[in-house]
Amino acid sequence: MRTVRMLTAAALAAGGLLAGAGAAAAGSPSANASASPGGGAAGPTEAGTAFRTATPLQPGLRATAEASTGDYLYWVLPLDSGQRATVKASVKLPPAASRHAASTWRIDVYDGLRRRQACTYGAQSATAAKDAASVELSCTLRTVRPGAEPWAHDPLPGSYYVRLTAAEVAKEDLGQPVRVEVSAETRDTGGAFAVDGALAQPLVPGITARLAAEAEGGAAGPAGGDRPAAVGEPDGGWSGGRWSDRWVWTAAGGVLAALAGVFGYSLTRGRGRPQHVPPRG
């Protein structure tokens, strides 16, 4: 009976460890839970026109911009290992009376090496009818991994560039004014996607020169310079994949295995001994 009580208490303690791991993963920093580009706190009010001039955008903020149909609009946001990001865009189109045909809009996401990342789901491309007032786009990326093989195309920690443009539009409609809203939400996936190894540095353009300059006590970038836009980092800095709740699950599994061994031993330790036979007479 005492053994059963000990096993029950230990099992409850292991359950507490697992619950704590889930709570830590749920409580880790992530973007706001707005369901549309119209939600979230206000962010930047402009967009870049190339990778080099991309406007920095933190997850959870809503970026807006006034642009013209046919422009290429760029934003850049930091994504860390274990995060799964969803980028949303809303384009308010010109009045229907001034448009000549339907238009197709597209949103693409590139990593720090400017490799286009695939969308797991979402309306990455959408066609707006001639009389449509707006068009909505969405792209959910794969979970960012802390490391990968050199030949792999896995998303890695670093800067991610969002590009929005009209993929197909009538020539007569080029240059007409539009208003766009872009936001990004992130969700921490925990240790389920953790792997061994991690990048020495996140894939952020210009980060090597910046870290070298900081180590020498100099400026963080070229003097008065054309500093890369993508030097931002997530709240709390880059994790680098050093910690994941997979460690907690492994420890809890070891505890449960040890308890199972103790319980099995307690069931079998009295068997196999010769029974005492009282003397006759």
Side-chain angles (χ1 to χ4, degrees), residues 152-258:
H153 198 68
D154 296 329
L156 298 171
S159 300
Y160 281 76
Y161 296 87
V162 179
R163 184 178 73 180
L164 175 66
T165 189
E168 296 180 11
V169 62
K171 293 182 178 180
E172 297 83 359
D173 293 336
L174 290 174
Q176 293 196 24
V178 294
R179 177 178 175 82
V180 302
E181 294 183 2
V182 173
S183 66
E185 305 167 3
T186 59
R187 182 173 67 86
D188 291 327
T189 58
F193 292 86
V195 297
D196 294 331
L199 292 180
Q201 296 175 0
L203 298 179
V204 177
I207 191 173
T208 302
R210 180 167 65 92
L211 293 177
E214 291 176 352
E216 296 176 359
D226 193 13
R227 184 177 178 179
V231 296
E233 60 183 25
D235 294 337
W238 300 100
S239 69
R242 293 186 297 270
W243 164 259
S244 74
D245 57 3
R246 186 173 61 169
W247 292 95
V248 179
W249 286 93
T250 302
V255 171
L256 293 177

Side-chain angles (χ1 to χ4, degrees), residues 50-89:
F51 284 101
R52 185 68 183 178
T53 59
T55 298
L57 173 64
Q58 285 291 333
L61 299 182
R62 183 184 76 256
T64 59
E66 303 287 344
S68 299
T69 304
D71 288 346
Y72 283 85
L73 307 178
Y74 290 82
W75 296 266
V76 59
L77 63 148
L79 295 180
D80 206 354
S81 57
Q83 291 184 333
R84 176 176 293 170
T86 297
V87 181
K88 298 181 180 181

